[in-house]
Amino acid sequence: MDNEFLKQLDLKHIWHPCTQMKDHENVPLIPIKKAKGVWLYDFNDKRYLDCISSWWVNLFGHCNEKIANAIKKQVDELEHVILAGFTHEPIIKLSTKLCEKVGRDFNKCFYADNGSSAVEIALKMSFHYHLNQGFKKNKFLSLSNSYHGETLGALSVGDVALYKNTYNPLLLKCLNTPVPKSKNYEEELFILKEILEKHSNEICAFILEPLVQCAGNMHMYEAGFIDEAIKLCHEFNVQVIFDEIAVGFGRTGTLFALHQCKQTPDFICLSKGITGGFMPLSVVLTKDEIYQAFYAPYKEYKAFLHSHSYTGNTLACAAANAVLDIFENENILEKNKILSTFIEQEFSRLKKFDFLGNFRICGMISAFDILNAKYERAGLEVFKRALKKDLLLRPLGNTIYFMPPYVITKEQISYVVDSLEQIFNDF
């Protein structure tokens, strides 16, 4: 099969995610045949450097042999088993490791298979926890500019209008508090405190993406605000949910963004990089205190009766265990510090363009904005031109971001910046 035939067959049958399909009348659809490391290859053997880790999931390169071999070994032993009343070694090993790595008394893991589902679990669990404690709370609090997924509960606590507005009639009624726009966050804390004073008897939990609001145009904010916000919430008996789906597993410079905060939330949602980009998996970590609120005789009806068919899939857990082994054995976080410094240095070359601004970096996430351009959809124009230079760059509106697999080399980083420099010279 060749590229053109596959495109025609695809467009006949497939409705792609987060896409206005009419755009494909002018924007190329690219069938990918194989991948290795940071490179994707189409059916004509043209290659594309995966600058966005295939929607932020790939950590250690495509077709990483250690992860692939872990899945191959597992597939001949046990591919899947119901997790209600049964268990298996990969999930026990993974849960033990995750609790050790996260620390802070997170001792319980509840699994699903994608980020939105993890958020739904955390929301339901928080609501149900308060109910089991005798408190009838039914609202959630989130940050402005936030994004937590596309299912209805997750969408309810998000604040990106592009994704949310159409479905407003279907959504939960939630409260919103402003995210800091600078290192001075006194006003934002004041507003948060006002909301808690008025509504804490209604609010189950405050959900936030710590340090970086990824789908919110890679907006970055201070850990200090997060610490003060957690203290306030706990003072008013409001729980805190960390959505680390995109920022976990080394993206912000530490294994988890939590580790840059002094205060501790009540729930942590993880997904995306957890399997290195190989398999769907997500998990919500919480504490024994919350677990105990559901631990009761069956007739009290306090159990958390939430389930997914593929909860705790053995193949996905095998991949996740391999990912944690790579972190442990290959000094990844220290290597990433060197790469992060180099990325910041190289991308600073683009500051010479006066129509670019708001350059920012947090660990292995780098971003800048197109402030003005002659193109109505400037980000899309960058995307199309980048493809011609062998780059997969998928901007968020007019925000250009770089979130590569950790196996990227300095030479490849320089190539990305060289290519962007050439694109903006003609912009």
Side-chain angles (χ1 to χ4, degrees):
M1 290 188 177
D2 64 18
N3 274 353
E4 288 307 314
F5 177 75
L6 286 169
K7 286 180 196 178
Q8 292 170 17
L9 205 55
D10 176 287
L11 292 172
K12 183 177 179 181
H13 295 294
I14 300 174
W15 194 341
H16 288 262
C18 202
T19 300
Q20 171 46 261
M21 293 301 295
K22 188 173 175 59
D23 279 351
H24 283 307
E25 293 177 10
N26 301 303
V27 179
L29 179 69
I30 302 172
I32 295 298
K33 181 180 182 181
K34 60 183 180 181
K36 188 67 180 175
V38 299
W39 296 104
L40 303 165
Y41 296 86
D42 72 12
F43 282 73
N44 295 328
D45 288 327
K46 178 175 171 56
R47 66 181 189 173
Y48 302 90
L49 199 157
D50 190 351
C51 299
I52 61 165
S53 298
S54 287
W55 253 344
W56 321 340
V57 299
N58 194 289
L59 299 185
F60 303 122
H62 294 278
C63 296
N64 179 283
E65 290 183 6
K66 291 176 182 175
I67 304 172
N69 287 337
I71 296 170
K72 289 173 186 175
K73 181 181 177 183
Q74 183 60 47
V75 80
D76 287 330
E77 296 177 357
L78 175 65
E79 84 297 342
H80 183 66
V81 64
I82 182 175
L83 203 63
F86 289 79
T87 190
H88 52 83
E89 186 176 356
I91 201 169
I92 295 168
K93 181 180 176 183
L94 175 60
S95 303
T96 303
K97 276 190 172 185
L98 282 173
C99 291
E100 288 173 357
K101 295 292 185 188
V102 173
R104 308 274 186 101
D105 296 324
F106 283 94
N107 287 322
K108 292 293 185 292
C109 300
F110 197 103
Y111 288 88
D113 53 13
N114 66 81
S116 295
S117 293
V119 169
E120 299 283 350
I121 287 165
L123 297 177
K124 286 178 63 178
M125 199 176 277
S126 178
F127 165 81
H128 201 163
Y129 167 83
H130 289 292
L131 192 65
N132 283 352
Q133 299 289 82
F135 299 102
K136 293 184 178 180
K137 299 185 172 195
N138 62 0
K139 287 188 172 67
F140 293 91
L141 176 64
S142 60
L143 286 172
S144 61
N145 193 53
S146 59
Y147 174 89
H148 298 287
E150 300 290 351
T151 50
L152 292 178
L155 202 57
S156 297
V157 292
D159 186 50
V160 179
L162 179 66
Y163 305 116
K164 182 173 181 175
N165 282 358
T166 302
Y167 307 102
N168 266 332
L170 302 177
L171 303 182
L172 304 172
K173 300 302 179 188
C174 297
L175 299 167
N176 199 256
T177 192
V179 67
K181 297 292 175 65
S182 70
K183 292 186 178 181
N184 183 345
Y185 41 79
E186 286 184 14
E187 184 179 350
E188 287 83 1
L189 284 174
F190 179 80
I191 295 170
L192 173 61
K193 186 174 182 181
E194 277 194 326
I195 292 171
L196 291 170
E197 285 172 344
K198 292 179 183 177
H199 301 286
S200 61
N201 62 325
E202 304 172 80
I203 300 172
C204 301
F206 176 36
I207 183 169
L208 60 112
E209 307 151 274
L211 302 181
V212 186
Q213 295 182 308
C214 290
N217 292 330
M218 297 295 166
H219 176 66
M220 300 176 186
Y221 64 107
E222 299 293 308
F225 168 80
I226 298 170
D227 284 330
E228 294 302 317
I230 292 173
K231 283 194 279 189
L232 278 173
C233 287
H234 286 167
E235 181 183 328
F236 285 92
N237 191 33
V238 170
Q239 294 179 323
V240 179
I241 301 167
F242 269 18
D243 174 353
E244 291 219 29
I245 290 159
V247 299
F249 298 97
R251 289 291 182 194
T252 64
T254 47
L255 189 58
F256 302 106
L258 166 71
H259 297 155
Q260 295 178 50
C261 301
K262 295 175 183 176
Q263 299 296 313
T264 303
D266 303 278
F267 304 90
I268 299 180
C269 301
L270 302 173
S271 190
K272 289 194 182 290
I274 192 170
T275 66
F278 274 73
M279 303 283 292
L281 183 69
S282 66
V283 61
V284 178
L285 282 87
T286 191
K287 302 181 178 183
D288 288 331
E289 172 200 347
I290 293 168
Y291 173 83
Q292 287 298 327
F294 296 84
Y295 198 89
Y298 183 84
K299 63 183 178 182
E300 292 185 20
Y301 299 108
K302 289 186 175 181
F304 188 62
L305 301 178
H306 183 103
S307 61
H308 296 275
S309 302
Y310 281 90
T311 293
N313 175 258
T314 51
L315 302 179
C317 290
N321 281 318
V323 164
L324 291 179
D325 287 344
I326 293 171
F327 272 110
E328 283 182 7
N329 300 330
E330 298 186 20
N331 203 25
I332 298 300
L333 296 177
E334 288 304 310
K335 290 177 181 176
N336 281 359
K337 285 180 184 177
I338 296 168
L339 279 179
S340 178
T341 300
F342 187 76
I343 289 169
E344 184 173 24
Q345 171 190 315
E346 284 294 275
F347 272 79
S348 69
R349 290 198 272 132
L350 301 177
K351 291 181 179 179
K352 67 182 181 181
F353 297 103
D354 59 7
F355 56 87
L356 305 179
N358 192 19
F359 285 81
R360 54 205 183 272
I361 189 166
C362 181
M364 291 294 287
I365 305 171
S366 176
F368 61 89
D369 299 329
I370 303 172
L371 303 178
N372 55 74
K374 61 185 177 182
Y375 304 97
E376 183 180 354
R377 297 170 70 184
L380 182 62
E381 188 65 25
V382 171
F383 170 74
K384 291 191 291 185
R385 295 189 188 198
L387 289 176
K388 294 177 181 177
K389 295 186 179 295
D390 302 340
L391 302 180
L392 167 54
L393 274 169
R394 194 176 193 271
L396 292 156
N398 288 342
T399 294
I400 311 300
Y401 71 91
F402 183 59
M403 196 191 293
Y406 303 155
V407 296
I408 196 166
T409 65
K410 289 183 176 180
E411 292 75 19
Q412 289 164 343
I413 293 165
S414 295
Y415 173 74
V416 172
V417 178
D418 288 344
S419 299
L420 284 169
E421 198 169 15
Q422 292 167 19
I423 288 169
F424 291 128
N425 273 331
D426 298 327
F427 222 61

